[in-house]
Amino acid sequence: MSGWWLPLVLLGVGTPGVLDEAGGYRFCHEPQYPLYRDERRWCDLIDDPHPSCPDLPAACAAEIDPAVDGGGFGYGSSGADGEGKGRKRAAPATGDGRKARRERMKFEIPRGLSTVAQVVLIAIVVAGLGLLVRHLLRRRFDDPADEEDASSTTEAAAPDPAAEAARQRAKETDVTRLLALARQEAAAGRFESAVELAYAAALRRLDGDGLIELHPSRTNGDYVRRLRGHAPTLAPALRDVAREVEGIQFGAHAATSSRFESILRGVLGITGRTATVALLLLSSLHLTGCGSSSAGPPEARPMLTGGDTSPSGTKAVLEAIASTGVSVAYRIETLTTVGEDVGTLIVLPDAGPEDGDWAPILEWVEAGGRLILAGERARHPDLELYEDPREATTTQLFNGMFLGFEDLEGWSIEVPPSGGLLPQIGIEDAEPSLYRYYRDAADSEDVSVYAVALYRGGGEIIAFANEDLFTNIAMTVDDNARAVAAIARPFDGEHSVQICTAWMTGRGSSSPLEAIRNADLTPLIVQLLVFVVLLVLYRGIAFGRLREPPGRSRRAFVDHIRALGTQYARADASGHAWRAYATWALEQIDARLPGERRRGLQATAAAIAARTHWPESDIIPLLVDANDAAERYGAPPSVRGPVGSAPTALEKLQRMAAMLEALGLSSRGASTTTTRATPRSGK
C-alpha cells in the first residue's frame, strides 16, 4: 500500500470537528438559511446529511432567496445554470454575513392627485425623513450640556472614597479576567478572539484610570487622540496595538500565535505591572495544566479560526486537511514566489498571480511541490486546460491510476453534474485522476474526466474542472472531506498546505487609481473632477489669502451732484438749490460778459439775447429772480424770504441752466441733467 495509507487511517470515516456548530457554519444549523442557486445543486446529493450538518436538508427545502450582496464565497461553476453560472460573489474575510432577501417596499403616489397635491405630498415625506435623520443624529452624539449636568450631579453626590476605591478594584479585576480569557482563547487556537479580548482589556484599563471614556460612537483614533492630551507616553503604545488589531479585523493580516504574543506585549505595557503579575500567575498555571498540543491526536487539535463559513466558502476544507496532522492556512502573500516549506498549493478561481507570471510556481513544482488548480484557468502555455464540451449528468466520481489515487477505491465521492476536461495540461498528455460514467445522447456509456494530473520534474500538477469539491458544502457529502484531505496532503506529510483565494491572496490595490478602478468609482471620480474644473472656471482659483477688494477713492463729479440733488429733494430744499445755482450762474455771466451787469439788467439782457437769440422779455425776469436769490443766499434764514413753491424753483433752475448752455457756459455733465430748449415767447 502506498504512502496514502496513514492519512486515511487518521481520517477514519469522517472528519471530527468539521462543520460543528461552534465553527460558525450557519447553513448546517439554520433551517431557514438562504442558499444561492448554484449551491442548491448540492441538495440532490444530501439524502443522508452529515452528522455535524443536520439542518442543511431543511434549508434546501425552504428555498429562501439570499440577498444580492449577502456574503458567500461562490464563483459559480461550469455546471451551474441560471443565476449561479459564472457569477462571482464577494465573501467576507471571516464568518458568514449572508442574509435573506427582504421584500422591497414600494412607495407609490396615489393616482388622481393633482400636480400640486403630489408636490405637497412629496415635500411632506422629505420633511419627515429629514426630521427623522435629525433626531437620530441628535441621539447618536453626546450632548455636552448633558455631560456637564452629569458631572455637576456627580460632584454634588460626593461619593464615598471607600466606594470609589471598590469601583476601581472591580475594574482592575475585570481587566485581569479579560486577560485570562484572552490567554485561554489563544491556548485553544482561537487567536482572533484572543486578540479582541486583549485589546478590550487595554481599553477597559484606560477607561478605569479616567484617561479615556469608552463609548460605541468612538473609534480607535479617538482614543489615541484622547491619550495624546492626557497621557502622551501611552498614546504611541495604544496606536501600535490598534494598528495590529485593525489589520487582523479587516483581513490585512492573519491571526497567528506570534502576532497575538506581539499584541499582548503591547497590551501589557498599557495595563501596568499589576496585570502583568496576574498574567504571569495564570501562565504558570497553564503550563502546569493539561493544555492542548499540536502533537496530540487530530481529534484534540483546535479548529482553525477565520475563513468563510458559507456553503461556498473554504474553512471546512482547511479543517479537513488539518485533521490529518499537517499545517494548513490561507495564503496572504502574493504568488511571486513559493517558499520551500510549502508542500501543496491549492489555487481557487481567479486566485493566480496578478501579473500572470506562473514561472516561479512551475519552478517550485519541479522542485517537488504539488500544485492543485481547483477551477483556476491559468493563462500559461504549460498549464492551459482544455474543456470537454460534453456535460456529464451523473455525480459519482471514480479514481484513476495516478499518484496513489487507487487508495480511494470504494469511497463515495460526489459532486453536482458539470462539464469535464480533456486529458491534457499544456502541451503534455495528462492522466485522468477522477472521472465519472454517464449515458450520452446515443444511450451508450461514456466517460467524463473531472480531474487530470501529470508529473513535472519532482512534483505534480492536478487540475479540476471546477472548484465544487473544495467548498464547505462539499464536505457534507459522503467521503468528499476525506478525499480532499488525502489529495491535498503533501508527500512527506511535514510540509504545509496553502490555499489561495481571490479575496485574500495579495489582492490589495497597489495604487489609489487601481483601488478606485476596482471599486467601480471611476465614473463618479471623473464627474467630481469635471465639477471641480467647472467650479474653478466659474469662480476662479485663489493663489493666496482672500481679501475684500479696496473701495474706489474717487467718484465722478456728476455722481456727487446726483447724490446732493437727491438729498435736496428729500429735504424739500429746492429753494436753497436755486439760490446757490443762481449765485454761480451770475458769476459765470460776469466772467463771460464783463462790465455788462454794471450797466444794468437791461444791458445784460440785451447782450445775452444777442448771443443766444432769446427774447429779452424772457431773459430780464430770469435775471431779476437770479439777482434777488443771490442777494439772499448769504443772508440768515430769517431774512431770506420765500422763493415760491418747489416746482417754481426747479423751473427757474432749469431755465437758467438752459440759458447758460445756450450762452456756452454750462459745466461738463450739465447737459445730462438739464433740458436744452429754446423758451417760447411770453414766458
Side-chain angles (χ1 to χ4, degrees), residues 593-610:
L593 302 174
E596 294 295 339
R597 288 186 61 196
R598 288 194 292 269
R599 295 172 55 191
L601 293 178
Q602 185 68 33
T604 305
I608 294 174

Side-chain angles (χ1 to χ4, degrees), residues 18-20 29 48-54 476:
V18 179
L19 301 176
D20 283 345
H29 308 282
D48 185 10
H50 195 283
S52 298
C53 195
T476 65

Side-chain angles (χ1 to χ4, degrees), residues 534-548:
L534 294 177
L535 183 63
V536 170
L537 293 177
Y538 173 68
R539 298 296 301 272
I541 185 171
F543 293 96
R545 183 178 180 182
L546 297 178
R547 298 179 180 178
E548 291 292 336

Side-chain angles (χ1 to χ4, degrees), residues 34 64-69 99-105:
I64 300 175
D65 293 332
V68 176
D69 56 349
K99 299 179 181 179
R101 180 186 299 173
R102 296 182 179 180
E103 294 293 334
R104 296 184 178 180
M105 299 179 60

Side-chain angles (χ1 to χ4, degrees), residues 60 104 177 198 253 282 288 321 338 340 431 488 513-514 540 679:
C60 291
R104 296 184 178 180
R177 184 176 60 85
H253 308 294
L282 292 174
T288 57
I321 299 173
V338 182
E340 297 180 355
E431 294 289 340
L513 295 179
E514 184 179 355

